[in-house]
Amino acid sequence: MEKKLILSIESSCDETSAAVIENGRIVLSNIIATQIDTHKKFGGVVPEVASRMHIEVIDKVVKEALDEANVTLEDIDAIGVTYGPGLVGALLVGLQYAKGLAYAANKPLIGVNHIEGHICANFIQHKDLKPPFVSLVVSGGHTFIVHVKDYGKYEVLGQTRDDAAGEAYDKVARALGLGYPGGPKIDKLAKEGNPNAIEFPRARFHEETLDFSFSGLKSAVLNYLNKCSMQNIEVNKADVAASFQKAVVEVLRDNVFLTIKNKELDNIAIAGGVAANSALRDALISEGEKVGVQILFPELKLCTDNAAMIGSAAYFRFINSKSSSLDLNAKPNLKLNEG
Ligand code: KG4
Ligand code: ZN
């Protein structure tokens, strides 16, 4: 197979990242400059601050990615970049930078959907993984069950109707005073708590659906905390974290295994920041063992936002001749399969 190198750029939220990827699966470099420490002070991502910080570091991050991969722009076959979904100001920084490079170096530009990038992190981690398979994408902004029919061909089978799973983690963590980002903090604290201590609700829909809803669960946790504070009852934070987490994990597990049953597929690839969650991993692996389904996860660095996953998605677009024009614009609400 002819060697193709993609330089990829990701700046949709609070990570500025650039990577060099060989043939969609091999990471030659994956540089990530995170802004988490800055946003922590505000309890969440401040969009204007995020954009400014991307501007400050993007040039350095891209140069570092090329240096670490030991290549120059000349060696690159195409430039991949996230153009949505995400924060518009943040997306524009990466996109404008990528367009400038593509124009100056006369290389094809490949616009990539961020969600597609998360799914493709699994192609890097699992070198033999090929479609079709089911992917559960769980991040700070998104919760999707996707049937990956082929490279670049997706059918969304279920999605959240309100909060994303990671968003629920972040909001509950904030209410518990654990800080941002909340997912890893709840994950850690839940290990010391009793998951059966408090019975939080799981959303049920009247119709048959693979959709999710997490806002009712989040409100139930907030109400529980308010009630305890009004009645001067001491809250066991670890129990709240463990019980909340159990409710999230069960709903994700049940819907994804229902999909597998309906579609008769035997691979589930988990993606997105919440894929780093240890309880979710354990629950899916143990259910998978029961029914003979293989559960695949990317390593932690490839779960949360990074440019390597964008480079993988860009490669599969590139070899299918799907390049973008230089007037590509940022799309904060870009849908999977759009464009
Ligand atoms: O994919 P990602 O880096 O950014 C988005 O595209 O949204 O995901 C970030 C989300 C945050 O909500 C964070 O709290 C959550 O992933 N997260 C976790 C864990 N690590 C990160 N949630 C639960 N458990 C974790 N270990
Ligand atoms: Zn993401």
Side-chain angles (χ1 to χ4, degrees), residues 114 118 139-141 166-167 169-170 181-184 187 272-274 276-277 303-305:
H114 181 80
H118 274 301
S139 73
E167 193 181 349
Y169 265 97
D170 293 337
D187 194 355
V274 185
N277 187 263
C303 283
T304 44
D305 291 349

